Amino acid sequence: CRPSVLALQRTAARGQSSSFAMPGVHRILICSVLAQVASISRAIGCPAYADVANMSNGAVAHFDIAKFPGMWYEVYSHNLPGLTSGCHCTRYNVSIETNGWSTDFECRKGGLPAPATALHSDNTFARDPKYPGKLTEAWKLPIGHTPATAYWVLDVGVDAGGAYEKSLVYSCTSELVAKQEWIYLFSRSPTLAKDDVEEWMSYLKGRGVDTSDVRLVPQDAGCWDILDFVV
């Protein structure tokens, strides 16, 4: 939307009445309002997958869900208030099912010797073959499941054999006046290299993702060395 400012200037120079200039002024005002609306929409709306995923990484562009199963440790994340607040030793065991994939979540709130908190999700594969990392998840409830939400694999690190050893996962929910972003830095081990963390934080910020609430998840030594009950 490009207001004809030059036309208005020419109108004024010719000494024409302001009534003839008003349509141009209105156009400027309308374009200004539209620009503000677009800016607000970007602030409260969730991004498109292609805008945040590292599609230049072949492991993302050709994400293979068959390489994703197994144990993943949550090294950094934006906690879900209440549900995962205070979690230590957070980990997810990913499995492939007949019609999708699933996760078994465990953590210890406050660390040892707290009992394990366990949750299960039943999830769906990507629907768009162009974006195989654009997954969804739904957590199991006593009756039914939560509404499906985004589980977007934005970046993947592979070892010398091509196996997935670290992953950056993002979720976003958009409401009428705000959006909430959830960020997870996963590793096959309870730690991530400092350079990896800094690179991913910089990557997210560069794409307008709010990382201010991302925190280190304590991975206490020996956290899963004992057998116990779950809550």
Side-chain angles (χ1 to χ4, degrees), residues 16-163:
Q16 297 182 14
S17 67
S18 61
S19 62
F20 289 96
M22 283 306 291
V25 173
H26 288 162
R27 187 179 180 190
I28 293 173
L29 292 174
I30 290 170
C31 288
S32 176
V33 170
L34 290 175
Q36 292 180 40
V37 170
S39 177
I40 293 171
S41 297
R42 288 192 296 270
I44 66 175
C46 292
Y49 179 79
D51 292 335
V52 289
N54 186 12
M55 299 302 291
S56 64
N57 180 356
V60 176
H62 305 287
F63 178 76
D64 185 357
I65 189 67
K67 294 183 178 182
F68 208 54
M71 192 65 71
W72 288 98
Y73 293 89
E74 186 180 298
V75 184
Y76 282 82
S77 73
H78 175 181
N79 273 327
L80 294 170
L83 187 62
T84 60
S85 294
C87 271
H88 289 220
C89 313
T90 306
R91 64 181 187 176
Y92 298 74
N93 192 12
V94 175
S95 302
I96 298 294
E97 310 291 345
T98 303
N99 297 313
W101 61 287
S102 66
T103 56
D104 288 296
F105 164 95
E106 290 181 306
C107 84
R108 296 187 188 276
K109 292 195 172 185
L112 287 170
T117 295
L119 298 167
H120 178 82
S121 69
D122 293 305
N123 315 315
T124 58
F125 300 132
R127 295 181 179 180
D128 189 341
K130 292 190 302 182
Y131 306 120
K134 189 179 177 181
L135 310 173
T136 59
E137 69 176 352
W139 292 98
K140 189 174 182 180
L141 301 173
I143 300 177
H145 291 77
T146 63
T149 55
Y151 186 104
W152 292 357
V153 180
L154 302 189
D155 204 15
V156 174
V158 301
D159 63 16

